Amino acid sequence: MSGRVRQTSCLKEHIDRFIHAPQTEIALVALILLSVFLVVVEVVLDTRGLSTRWVSHLQAGLTSIFMLELSCRYWIARKKQRFWRNYWLDILATMPMITAFRLLRLLRLLRLLRAGILLNRSLGRLSSAIAASLGIQIGVFMVIGLIVLTGGLAIYLFEEPYNPRIESLRDSMWWSILSLVAGEPIGGDPQTDIGRIIALVVMMGGLTTFAVFTGVVSAVMMRKLETFMDFKALEIDELRGHIVICGWNRGGHLIVEELLADGINRCAVVIVAEATDEPAQALNHLNASQLYFYAEDYTKIDILETVGIIHASRAILLADATHPRTDQDRDARTVLAALTIEKLNPSIYTCAQLLDRRNDVQLKLAGVDDVIVTEEVSSHLIATSARNQGSVEALSELLTVQSGNQIYEIQVPTDWIGKQYWALAQVLKQQSDALLLAIESVKQDKRTTQVNPPAELVLNKEDRLVIIARESPRF
């Protein structure tokens, strides 16, 4: 029975990754735009008395794809109520029975809003800055496009036989645009009751849009659109491969900036700290699309499970300074959280910040990968600067991903297993302009790092290379 549960869980994870893959979302945007185009074609052919059978068949095929997509989303959803809350418009737009009513067929246009969300999310993957600047604009133009397209098609569908001023689809679209801008029917008053209702909806949409653009109610409207068009597709409990930061102190914002600046390993960051607004205030200058804040005690098991520590790739434990505590108490909370995290997710990479080196033993026993004593590191930097003038500038460049060279850790290429360290170092310098700094080896679950190893050292498949380069080399 447990095997079947694991297989089901594995299948859900595969479907989850497939649905949220960038290629899948771009394909869905294309299918939605095709469906909207077919709605326009169907309305034009229908009003002219021409056959729309082929259009109906194509729409039926697209509807089947959308229904399959929504069914998969429902099956993998961890909270069904959230699914209904997020996708009720899409469900309404894909209901097969809407084809029986002329006006209800226009409900397919509602999926334009989903296309806007997917497009905004794709922009966020390319560049967070672009997504932050264009997110609201995309939302506004999608709403305007939906109003204009729905109003124009509906007027053409119901007014064309009775209104001499609506003779073509172009006339109805111009009527919809002008009525939206002017706030009154321009280019012909509707002759039918349904047409008058449509005109009222378009005019109301125009008044609202005018308010958004003029800024009279911009604070309310923009906040709603920002919430609606937010490309955080996943709630905290649905994240995968993210980074969890437990605790907060004055250096926390620098850590988050470095993590978000990493163009290769960039992923969502969840900050868990006890009731405080300090993290959000310190990071308000950053794009929040990849940031999640959770104001709770990170030493509790249920809180760690809520932020998805089981599915996280990395955990960072900071010496928490959100409440007045002694250094011993802060380290004790770090040790307790590390023990809990390693128990819940033994495969996670964990980095912990300590205030006292004597507490290092407990963290190593807990399975923490790296332990950093801040005062030791800063003291060593000061001593190094005093002994070797100018060396700190070189170290500063290596310790940030925002400029210059960085430190990368990569797997030993398969072709170089069994060969000497020095030969690979020369090839890296020639091909990638990279310096091979150290070799990290794992033997019997014990990790050792050799900085500037002997030239004749033979590389093993378990080894990892620590290199200095402007970008990660590719073999």
Side-chain angles (χ1 to χ4, degrees), residues 48 181 195 205 216 254 274 278 330 372 375 419 442-443 474:
R48 294 181 180 180
V181 174
V216 177
L254 298 175
E274 289 186 276
E278 186 177 346
R330 292 177 183 176
I372 297 174
E375 290 188 0
K419 297 183 181 180
V442 179
K443 294 181 179 179
R474 298 178 180 177

Side-chain angles (χ1 to χ4, degrees), residues 411-440:
Q411 191 72 36
V412 173
T414 306
D415 297 342
W416 285 91
I417 295 174
K419 297 183 181 180
Q420 291 185 344
Y421 150 81
W422 180 242
L424 178 57
Q426 291 177 311
V427 172
L428 279 173
K429 184 60 180 175
Q430 292 172 356
Q431 294 185 355
S432 304
D433 196 18
L435 293 176
L436 186 48
L437 179 66
I439 303 292
E440 184 181 274

Side-chain angles (χ1 to χ4, degrees), residues 124-157:
R125 291 192 179 98
L126 294 176
S127 172
S128 299
I130 294 177
S133 61
L134 295 182
I136 303 303
Q137 289 88 332
I138 290 176
V140 171
F141 284 110
M142 279 295 175
V143 172
I144 292 175
L146 180 62
I147 294 173
V148 169
L149 195 58
T150 304
L153 289 175
I155 283 293
Y156 182 69
L157 193 63

Side-chain angles (χ1 to χ4, degrees), residues 67-84:
M67 292 179 66
L68 178 62
E69 173 221 349
L70 292 172
S71 300
C72 292
R73 290 184 185 274
Y74 179 79
W75 187 54
I76 65 176
R78 279 167 282 279
K79 293 185 178 179
K80 306 303 181 185
Q81 290 182 347
R82 181 189 302 156
F83 169 83
W84 292 109

Side-chain angles (χ1 to χ4, degrees), residues 147-148 150-156 159 163 165-166 168-182 184-190 194-203:
I147 294 173
V148 169
T150 304
L153 289 175
I155 283 293
Y156 182 69
E159 288 288 320
N163 196 329
R165 303 190 66 176
I166 305 294
S168 64
L169 182 62
R170 185 175 64 177
D171 294 336
S172 65
M173 288 299 175
W174 271 112
W175 177 92
S176 183
I177 294 173
L178 295 176
S179 300
L180 180 75
V181 174
E184 60 179 311
I186 301 295
D189 293 333
I194 295 180
R196 296 186 182 97
I197 295 174
I198 295 169
L200 180 63
V201 172
V202 172
M203 288 187 293

Side-chain angles (χ1 to χ4, degrees), residues 5 38 161 204 212 326:
V5 172
L38 290 177
M204 292 297 293
V212 172
T326 64

